């Protein structure tokens, strides 16, 4: 079993230490995992501040949150990685989860070109500057056209894939985080995303993070329609807890894996 999306420090003030890292490895072994991908959010590192300009400028609340969070240095993370990649009891990869923002993709490419990680996972957490999955911005959902918002989201995801910056795509339907659902048919958008993933040799995730951290009543992992289209196109789909704390490492991995083994009938591919 694999968990390809585990947040490590997640902005913790404790600092990088071997003891802290060993706790994650121990928990992964207890959960029966064979390989884990540890990552940090790029928005924890001041080197990426320019990438987040559209989100910082969107409103004062986002500006306050992001400027406070962009306080660490990616160099500290890299130094720590070099110190622990030996004598491991399971396979461990270190990387970043990077927010893809179309307006600043050029800046992002220049920054990422300076570093060498085991993997880079791209994710879309904002639409035209709005951090749609931020609990502090949740009320803004009441004033948007949900269908147009979903269509814009699924316009950005293939662009992320075509950027050639990432090996993986994080949580490709995290837009459902607060329970808002479209009434339009997204089958065509799911097909375009599948094509972009395959064309660029990328994997995506069956990710349990929304159920784990947002609302336990949300469906687990990918919505059935998206999962069906991805599987019909033989997209590489990997299980991910999206753990943001040690106790969540490996959460729902068995269930997420069972979903991939079971699959869904082709008739589920159309959103009714």
């Amino acid at each position: 079993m694999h968990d390809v999306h585990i947040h490590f420090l997640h902005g913790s003030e404790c600092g990088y230490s071997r003891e802290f890292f060993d706790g994650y490895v121990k928990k992964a072994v207890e959960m029966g995992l064979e390989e884990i991908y540890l990552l940090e959010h790029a928005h924890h590192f001041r080197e990426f501040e320019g990438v987040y300009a559209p989100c910082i400028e969107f409103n004062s609340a986002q500006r306050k949150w992001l400027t406070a969070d962009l306080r660490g240095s990616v160099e500290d993370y890299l130094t720590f990685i070099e110190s622990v990649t030996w004598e491991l009891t399971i396979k461990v990869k270190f990387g970043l989860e990077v927010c893809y923002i179309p307006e600043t993709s050029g800046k992002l490419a220049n920054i990422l070109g300076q570093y060498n990680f085991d993997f880079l996972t791209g994710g879309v957490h904002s639409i035209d500057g709005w951090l749609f999955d931020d609990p502090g911005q949740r009320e803004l959902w009441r004033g948007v056209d949900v269908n147009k918002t979903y269509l814009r989201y699924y316009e950005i995801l293939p662009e992320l894939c075509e950027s050639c910056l990432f090996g993986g795509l994080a949580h490709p339907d995290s837009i459902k985080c607060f329970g808002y659902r479209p009434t339009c048919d997204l089958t065509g958008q799911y097909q375009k995303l599948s094509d972009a993933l395959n064309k660029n040799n990328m994997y995506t995730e069956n990710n349990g993070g929304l159920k784990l951290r947002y609302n336990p009543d949300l469906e687990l992992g990918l919505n059935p329609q998206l999962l069906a289209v991805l599987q019909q196109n033989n997209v590489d789909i990997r299980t991910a807890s999206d753990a943001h704390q040690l106790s969540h490492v490996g959460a729902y991995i068995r269930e997420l894996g069972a979903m991939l083994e079971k699959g869904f009938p082709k008739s589920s591919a159309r959103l009714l």
Side-chain angles (χ1 to χ4, degrees), residues 120-123 157-170 193-205 230 233-238:
L120 293 171
T121 298
L157 290 186
E159 184 178 332
L160 178 159
C161 299
E162 296 290 356
S163 73
C164 301
L165 295 174
F166 310 103
L169 170 64
L193 176 58
S194 298
D195 292 343
L197 287 163
N198 285 334
K199 176 184 175 183
N200 294 284
N201 298 311
M202 292 175 63
Y203 69 86
T204 192
E205 300 172 350
L230 292 172
N233 285 277
N234 298 311
V235 172
D236 181 2
I237 308 173
R238 305 181 187 181

Side-chain angles (χ1 to χ4, degrees), residues 7 12 17 25-26 28 64 132 134 141 177 211:
H7 288 276
S12 171
S17 72
V25 173
K26 180 180 178 181
K64 182 178 180 180
F132 64 83
D134 177 8
W141 272 100
C177 57
K211 188 176 183 68

Side-chain angles (χ1 to χ4, degrees), residues 236-256:
D236 181 2
I237 308 173
R238 305 181 187 181
T239 53
S241 67
D242 208 338
H244 280 58
Q245 61 192 57
L246 189 152
S247 62
H248 289 166
V249 172
Y252 296 121
I253 290 299
R254 286 182 173 81
E255 294 89 340
L256 293 164

Side-chain angles (χ1 to χ4, degrees), residues 7-56:
H7 288 276
F8 191 30
L9 284 181
H10 197 247
S12 171
E13 297 288 354
C14 71
Y16 295 106
S17 72
R18 182 63 191 241
E19 181 180 6
F20 190 80
F21 168 77
D22 285 344
Y24 276 73
V25 173
K26 180 180 178 181
K27 179 64 175 178
V29 171
E30 291 174 355
M31 296 297 291
L33 300 175
E34 301 167 359
E35 184 175 29
I36 57 175
Y37 289 20
L38 291 177
L39 47 74
E40 290 274 43
H41 274 300
H43 62 67
H44 293 320
F45 301 127
R46 54 183 174 269
E47 290 89 348
F48 290 87
E49 183 172 0
V51 173
Y52 290 92
C55 301
I56 291 172

Side-chain angles (χ1 to χ4, degrees), residues 188-238:
Q189 283 68 31
Y190 295 161
Q191 181 63 48
K192 290 179 181 179
L193 176 58
S194 298
D195 292 343
L197 287 163
N198 285 334
K199 176 184 175 183
N200 294 284
N201 298 311
M202 292 175 63
Y203 69 86
T204 192
E205 300 172 350
N206 195 24
N207 187 305
L210 297 185
K211 188 176 183 68
L212 186 65
R213 297 185 295 104
Y214 279 78
N215 186 340
D217 293 329
L218 286 173
E219 67 185 357
L220 179 64
L222 294 164
N223 74 70
Q225 294 79 20
L226 176 54
L227 177 56
V229 174
L230 292 172
Q231 288 192 314
Q232 289 161 20
N233 285 277
N234 298 311
V235 172
D236 181 2
I237 308 173
R238 305 181 187 181

Side-chain angles (χ1 to χ4, degrees), residues 7-227:
H7 288 276
F8 191 30
L9 284 181
H10 197 247
S12 171
E13 297 288 354
C14 71
Y16 295 106
S17 72
R18 182 63 191 241
E19 181 180 6
F20 190 80
F21 168 77
D22 285 344
Y24 276 73
V25 173
K26 180 180 178 181
K27 179 64 175 178
V29 171
E30 291 174 355
M31 296 297 291
L33 300 175
E34 301 167 359
E35 184 175 29
I36 57 175
Y37 289 20
L38 291 177
L39 47 74
E40 290 274 43
H41 274 300
H43 62 67
H44 293 320
F45 301 127
R46 54 183 174 269
E47 290 89 348
F48 290 87
E49 183 172 0
V51 173
Y52 290 92
C55 301
I56 291 172
E57 297 166 2
F58 185 78
N59 63 29
S60 59
Q62 289 186 183
R63 181 182 306 112
K64 182 178 180 180
W65 179 74
L66 280 168
T67 54
D69 207 44
L70 286 157
R71 63 181 183 273
S73 173
V74 70
E75 295 295 340
D76 294 337
Y77 182 37
L78 287 166
T79 298
F80 177 75
I81 291 171
E82 292 176 359
S83 74
V84 299
T85 53
W86 50 275
E87 295 182 3
L88 301 178
T89 55
I90 61 172
K91 293 180 181 178
V92 179
K93 291 185 178 180
F94 288 94
L96 291 176
E97 179 184 358
V98 183
C99 297
Y100 180 80
I101 301 171
E103 299 91 328
T104 56
S105 59
K107 291 182 180 179
L108 178 61
N110 290 334
I111 295 169
L112 292 177
Q114 302 174 40
Y115 306 111
N116 184 26
F117 287 94
D118 295 332
F119 71 96
L120 293 171
T121 298
V124 173
H125 297 84
S126 65
I127 297 174
D128 301 326
W130 169 41
L131 292 170
F132 64 83
D133 61 356
D134 177 8
Q137 303 298 308
R138 179 175 182 171
E139 288 302 311
L140 297 185
W141 272 100
R142 297 179 180 272
V144 302
D145 183 313
V146 173
N147 285 345
K148 289 183 179 179
T149 302
Y150 266 76
L151 289 170
R152 177 63 177 141
Y153 177 75
Y154 283 105
E155 179 181 352
I156 299 172
L157 290 186
E159 184 178 332
L160 178 159
C161 299
E162 296 290 356
S163 73
C164 301
L165 295 174
F166 310 103
L169 170 64
H171 40 60
D173 64 347
S174 63
I175 193 168
K176 67 187 180 185
C177 57
F178 295 121
Y180 290 89
R181 298 290 186 134
T183 57
C184 58
D185 180 9
L186 294 174
T187 306
Q189 283 68 31
Y190 295 161
Q191 181 63 48
K192 290 179 181 179
L193 176 58
S194 298
D195 292 343
L197 287 163
N198 285 334
K199 176 184 175 183
N200 294 284
N201 298 311
M202 292 175 63
Y203 69 86
T204 192
E205 300 172 350
N206 195 24
N207 187 305
L210 297 185
K211 188 176 183 68
L212 186 65
R213 297 185 295 104
Y214 279 78
N215 186 340
D217 293 329
L218 286 173
E219 67 185 357
L220 179 64
L222 294 164
N223 74 70
Q225 294 79 20
L226 176 54
L227 177 56

